Amino acid sequence: MSASLLVRGASLLGDTTADVRVVEGVIAEIGPGLDADGIEPGDVVDGDGLVLLPGLVDLHTHLRQPGREDAETVRTGSCAAAAGGYTAVLAMANTSPVTDTAEAAEHVFDLGRAAGLVDVQPVGAVTKGLAGEELAELGLMHRSRAGVQVFSDDGKCVADPRVMRRALEYVRAFGGVVSQHAQDPSLAGPSACCHEGELSGRLGLPGWPGIAEEVIVARDVMLARHTGSRVHVAHASTAGTVEVIRWAKAQAEKDGHWSVTAEVTPHHLLLTTDLLAGYDPTFKVNPPLRPQEDVEALREALADGTIDAVATDHAPHARHDKEHAFVDAAFGMLGLETALSVVASVMVETGRMTWADLARVMSSTPAAIAGLGEQGRGLEVGAPANLVLVDPSADVTVDRDASLSLSRNNPWHGRQFGAAVRATYLRGQPTFGA
Ligand code: DOR
């Protein structure tokens, strides 16, 4: 397969229409009426009516390998990512064994390169075995071939403030970032699974109050400020979290020596807690779906830049882990293949954001947070041709059985969307569609 192509007449970032010529995996020319010399006829792509964006970057993917290859593998997760328009994903550390050593990080990195569909960048655990006690080999993971930049115990909160402080101090030395799963374990324990409120009481489900997230976010921004380091808030889910981040960003800007960034998931931008009324474990996720007021605050925060990025928290689970009584089912939902359609419907089709804004929150900013210099570069001559072609007026109905993921815990099954990924290219090579 050639890594040269010509995309004709697509709307670049939803704005001007032009041709884009890719030679050996790099954007070589952008302009009207480019000639196709040297490009195979099969590599000339008709972009008429389509939007061309830089390849998406996911800060938060669970690929499950090693250990749970019955739910997902690096290869199947990479296929799902490419189908969703992604050219890079950060693979969370809660595998078995946990990614808490340089060797473990290199193993995931190598599996990603062998699959070759997206750049798989391992996230390192903050603590050994995700136990929350002893720091993992942060420096060794960073200096390894995998070049780990982002550290997270995701799935679990780094609850001990002393451990979090040390982690922030440690990663500061090499410009790394700690991505926190904010859940105070004494306010929301492991069985907490429904937003705490009238509904959780009525359904008899253990409540997961927003304050359990907010107290950790508030604590962590103060620790980041104290240590002069970088903290990232994973899957922000409440209006209170947004308020804290807004305050913290203003302080960080004044102080200049530390930073806070945050992500929101597509499901927290669209789905609400009332979906739990039917006790369907497909909608069981951590943090839980929240009420409409929180959803509105998250949308506003994404539009105004308080929340920096959209991240999927793609969390595949095998049937035998998900198909249980609600309280016993695993937390998590699929997200890679549908993220762009969801974000387009909530943010772009409603006029809250432009396609260029979507590219910022789903490509360039996540790439910058993760330190992936060759991703999220934008549509510019000399940039690697990591690209996604989007049909902005598609009419698609999500079918969980058409998923390229190994798992089927898809909360979007049967929903209709108006935008869809048509093709994805990693350094000029087609990885989906085309
Ligand atoms: O719903 C979730 N699932 N939230 C997490 O934080 C972890 C994830 C998983 O690993 O399944």
Side-chain angles (χ1 to χ4, degrees):
M1 249 186 302
S2 130
S4 299
L5 73 141
L6 181 65
V7 182
R8 279 214 188 283
S11 161
L12 309 187
L13 296 167
D15 195 13
T16 48
T17 296
D19 297 351
V20 174
R21 185 183 164 85
V22 173
V23 177
E24 285 172 18
V26 175
I27 299 178
E29 216 178 336
I30 300 176
L34 301 184
D35 69 55
D37 284 2
I39 311 265
E40 300 283 324
D43 293 329
V44 178
V45 181
D46 181 7
D48 188 32
L50 304 181
V51 173
L52 187 67
L53 303 175
L56 309 182
V57 175
D58 190 18
L59 285 170
H60 195 142
T61 303
H62 296 274
L63 292 178
R64 304 294 188 222
Q65 191 178 6
R68 291 307 308 264
E69 291 84 351
D70 55 333
E72 196 79 287
T73 66
V74 169
R75 168 160 278 281
T76 58
S78 295
C79 289
Y86 287 91
T87 51
V89 300
L90 277 89
M92 277 296 168
N94 62 341
T95 47
S96 181
V98 170
T99 310
D100 57 4
T101 63
E103 293 72 23
E106 288 179 350
H107 179 57
V108 173
F109 181 84
D110 291 343
L111 288 170
R113 289 302 178 277
L117 294 165
V118 292
D119 288 346
V120 173
Q121 185 58 38
V123 171
V126 176
T127 65
K128 287 188 181 161
L130 309 179
E133 286 160 13
E134 225 184 306
L135 286 189
E137 295 177 354
L138 309 185
L140 291 177
M141 286 191 271
H142 174 69
R143 289 194 295 280
S144 77
R145 203 153 30 76
V148 178
Q149 279 286 128
V150 181
F151 297 86
S152 182
D153 276 3
D154 182 67
K156 288 193 174 167
C157 182
V158 180
D160 183 335
R162 197 175 57 95
V163 174
M164 187 64 178
R165 176 188 177 183
R166 291 283 173 252
L168 287 165
E169 279 168 352
Y170 205 104
V171 302
R172 183 187 56 201
F174 51 81
V177 59
V178 179
S179 170
Q180 174 73 294
H181 172 123
Q183 176 178 5
D184 184 288
S186 53
L187 289 169
S191 64
C193 60
C194 177
H195 172 73
E196 184 182 283
E198 190 268 328
L199 188 70
S200 65
R202 192 146 50 81
L203 298 177
L205 293 173
W208 198 134
I211 190 68
E213 176 173 297
E214 293 148 14
V215 292
I216 294 294
V217 176
R219 181 202 78 177
D220 286 353
V221 295
M222 295 311 288
L223 287 172
R225 185 188 209 187
H226 177 74
T227 55
S229 192
R230 291 174 61 205
V231 70
H232 177 77
V233 179
H235 42 49
S237 75
T238 78
T241 291
V242 166
E243 263 182 86
V244 175
I245 296 168
R246 197 169 274 137
W247 174 86
K249 282 200 157 169
Q251 305 312 306
E253 183 137 329
K254 276 188 248 163
D255 297 343
H257 69 293
W258 65 285
S259 74
V260 52
T261 52
E263 65 184 42
V264 63
T265 69
H267 47 273
H268 289 111
L269 285 172
L270 184 54
L271 305 180
T272 48
T273 189
D274 44 284
L275 284 165
L276 271 55
Y279 293 99
D280 180 352
T282 313
F283 299 110
K284 179 174 175 179
V285 67
N286 194 12
L289 300 177
R290 301 290 186 190
Q292 192 64 35
E293 309 86 81
D294 290 315
V295 169
E296 287 300 335
L298 295 168
R299 292 172 175 178
E300 202 183 303
L302 183 63
D304 74 17
T306 304
I307 290 181
D308 303 80
V310 172
T312 67
D313 198 2
H314 177 83
H317 286 293
R319 279 211 160 90
H320 53 268
D321 289 321
K322 200 59 174 162
E323 290 178 6
H324 285 287
F326 195 89
V327 281
D328 299 323
F331 287 100
M333 29 181 80
L334 300 187
L336 284 168
E337 289 164 288
T338 44
L340 181 130
S341 299
V342 175
V343 177
S345 91
V346 175
M347 303 304 289
V348 180
E349 289 158 22
T350 54
R352 287 191 175 94
M353 282 173 57
T354 62
W355 285 105
D357 293 329
L358 180 142
R360 173 171 50 77
V361 301
M362 296 186 81
S363 177
S364 55
T365 301
I369 290 169
L372 300 178
E374 296 298 283
Q375 292 281 345
R377 282 272 301 274
L379 306 176
E380 61 200 32
V381 171
N386 299 318
L387 304 169
V388 53
L389 261 177
V390 176
D391 182 349
S393 41
D395 178 10
V396 285
T397 305
V398 176
D399 173 5
R400 71 177 152 232
D401 294 316
S403 176
L404 299 179
S405 167
L406 262 190
S407 290
R408 291 290 173 265
N409 51 313
N410 191 330
W412 309 105
H413 179 68
R415 289 205 182 227
Q416 265 185 300
F417 292 102
V421 171
R422 285 284 171 256
T424 311
Y425 301 88
L426 177 67
R427 292 181 278 280
Q429 295 277 6
T431 53
F432 172 75

